[in-house]
Amino acid sequence: MAKYNTSHLLESVVRLTSLRDQHSLEICLIKTLQELIPAGQIRLFEISMESGKHSLKLLVEFDAKRSLESETENKLPHCVEDDADLMKCFSTGEKQISSDEGGGVRVVHPITGLNGVIGFLTVRNEAYIEKDQAVAASFLHIYQNYLKLINDNEHDTLTGLLNRKTFDERIMAVMSARRAGRRVSDSKEEQCCLAILDIDHFKKVNDQFGHLYGDEVLLLFAQIMTRTFRDDDQLYRYGGEEFVVVLKNVGLDLGVTVLERFRKTVESYHFPQVGSITASVGVVAISEQDLPTTIIGQADQALYFAKENGRNQVCAYEKLLQAGKLTSAAPAEGDIELF
């Protein structure tokens, strides 16, 4: 059993709460537990819905006996439903303890969010030691509370989408990944698109029905975005009635198709009291050579063209350029503010 030094515990808490992004927080949690409790393996999982099942994503892993044999013995479940202990933990929200295949013990700790269990921390060791697992649970609670603070800071209060501040921070990471991918491959798996979505005549909604119904339109619009796009796509409320989507591993042609499907969904949706609304979209393929301001400017040019030429349509910057409908000069002054 581990002996806990008070100053070491406090240093671990300080280190954990000094971070400002989720992935660094996840890594720090596992490293901290690795130092504090004797464990052969520690894994952190995230749950997401996929094809009607609760899909599992391994976020971070520590394995003291990293080998082909250990990986074979401890195969990763693809979804919660594949593992009885995970399923019980998910449904009850309570810690689960079971004998491991190798003769040891596996403890499953639930990670909870606003809508129930959103992930798991699993700890494997030779024996179950209550004090060690209590320490793991305590640091998991610190992680959960601090993760909520990070998420609150990164998300728009009304819609729950990522906010403008987070976009400014993350777009550089997307560009860097695009540059790295370009050096390795030119396949579609390395391509990304950025689109600006703007609700048409939104000012009229506020003027005619009031800001309460205007806010409801924004919220429902964001919910349609969440249902239409994939979990891996990045969805932002950029400001006011303007939204940004970063489509990952999607070329421009497919991106236009996906955005067109979204536009039609919005057009056919009945918004309470307000009725029908439409949206205009400007999209551009993310180039590894360009700066974020250039990419946003090009998408904004395409959006401005869509709004000036009938609205309720998806326009791609590259296609407008090829057709001679736009020039590659500085973007026209549209509705969206640049950096």
Side-chain angles (χ1 to χ4, degrees):
M1 183 173 64
K3 294 182 179 180
Y4 306 110
N5 180 283
T6 303
S7 63
H8 187 195
L9 288 173
L10 291 174
E11 287 172 5
S12 298
V13 172
V14 170
R15 180 175 56 186
L16 192 66
T17 55
S18 66
L19 300 168
R20 292 294 179 270
D21 70 275
Q22 182 173 341
H23 186 57
S24 297
L25 186 65
E26 293 160 353
I27 293 173
C28 185
L29 172 67
I30 300 305
K31 286 185 175 179
T32 298
L33 294 179
Q34 174 193 343
E35 295 171 359
L36 292 176
I37 64 175
Q41 183 190 79
I42 306 174
R43 284 172 169 168
L44 190 66
F45 292 95
E46 178 184 66
I47 302 171
S48 63
M49 282 300 294
E50 188 175 307
S51 301
K53 289 194 173 183
H54 298 89
S55 179
L56 283 172
K57 178 181 179 182
L58 180 63
L59 299 175
V60 189
E61 176 185 36
F62 160 73
D63 196 330
K65 297 179 180 179
R66 170 62 66 189
S67 66
L68 182 60
E69 288 74 22
S70 66
E71 288 191 5
T72 302
E73 291 172 3
N74 299 317
K75 289 183 179 179
L76 289 171
H78 295 293
C79 61
V80 176
E81 289 82 357
D82 291 338
D83 188 299
D85 290 329
L86 295 183
M87 191 63 203
K88 190 171 182 180
C89 183
F90 178 77
S91 59
T92 65
E94 297 177 356
K95 176 179 68 178
Q96 300 298 311
I97 307 167
S98 61
S99 298
D100 202 354
E101 297 173 358
V105 173
R106 183 182 71 162
V107 182
V108 179
H109 295 272
I111 301 172
T112 58
L114 291 176
N115 299 315
V117 178
I118 60 172
F120 304 105
L121 175 75
T122 64
V123 181
R124 281 187 162 96
N125 203 16
E126 294 178 357
Y128 177 79
I129 301 171
E130 177 62 34
K131 189 175 180 181
D132 290 342
Q133 296 305 321
V135 169
S138 296
F139 272 89
L140 189 57
H141 287 147
I142 295 172
Y143 161 80
Q144 289 176 173
N145 291 338
Y146 199 63
L147 182 60
K148 184 178 184 301
L149 291 175
I150 291 177
N151 285 336
D152 288 347
N153 186 53
E154 290 183 342
H155 289 76
D156 174 59
T157 304
L158 175 64
T159 64
L161 301 183
L162 295 167
N163 59 26
R164 166 69 184 271
K165 176 178 176 291
T166 308
F167 173 81
D168 292 346
E169 292 172 350
R170 291 193 183 182
I171 189 61
M172 284 304 297
V174 172
M175 300 292 289
S176 297
R178 179 71 184 92
R179 277 190 282 269
R182 179 79 176 192
R183 287 194 291 269
V184 175
S185 170
D186 271 333
S187 68
K188 289 184 179 179
E189 286 72 20
E190 302 297 342
Q191 298 177 16
C192 296
C193 295
L194 182 145
I196 301 173
L197 291 58
D198 186 281
I199 299 175
D200 295 328
H201 304 296
F202 184 71
K203 186 177 183 299
K204 290 183 179 179
V205 173
N206 281 331
D207 291 344
Q208 184 175 350
F209 301 100
H211 289 277
L212 186 62
Y213 283 104
D215 285 350
E216 185 178 33
V217 167
L218 293 172
L219 178 59
L220 292 172
F221 187 87
Q223 290 175 354
I224 296 172
M225 289 177 65
T226 303
R227 291 195 299 268
T228 302
F229 301 108
R230 304 164 303 174
D231 289 342
D232 286 345
D233 298 326
Q234 296 178 9
L235 312 181
Y236 301 88
R237 184 185 178 194
Y238 201 77
E241 69 273 25
E242 296 157 339
F243 298 80
V244 168
V245 178
V246 176
L247 299 171
K248 291 182 144 185
N249 303 326
V250 170
L252 184 63
D253 289 339
L254 179 56
V256 170
T257 300
V258 170
L259 292 162
E260 182 64 22
R261 183 173 69 238
F262 169 79
R263 184 198 63 78
K264 290 179 179 178
T265 301
V266 171
E267 184 182 33
S268 62
Y269 187 87
H270 177 77
F271 291 81
Q273 185 68 27
V274 175
S276 298
I277 68 166
T278 61
S280 299
V281 182
V283 59
V284 64
I286 295 179
S287 168
E288 71 283 354
Q289 285 120 351
D290 289 328
L291 295 171
T293 48
T294 304
I295 294 294
I296 281 287
Q298 291 171 348
D300 192 42
Q301 277 187 274
L303 173 64
Y304 187 78
F305 183 91
K307 293 177 76 68
E308 289 294 301
N309 291 271
R311 302 178 188 263
N312 190 27
Q313 58 183 312
V314 177
C315 290
Y317 173 79
E318 291 88 344
K319 295 181 184 295
L320 293 173
L321 208 61
Q322 290 171 3
K325 296 178 179 178
L326 286 181
T327 67
S328 57
E333 186 179 349
D335 296 329
I336 203 163
E337 292 182 1
L338 302 184
F339 294 86

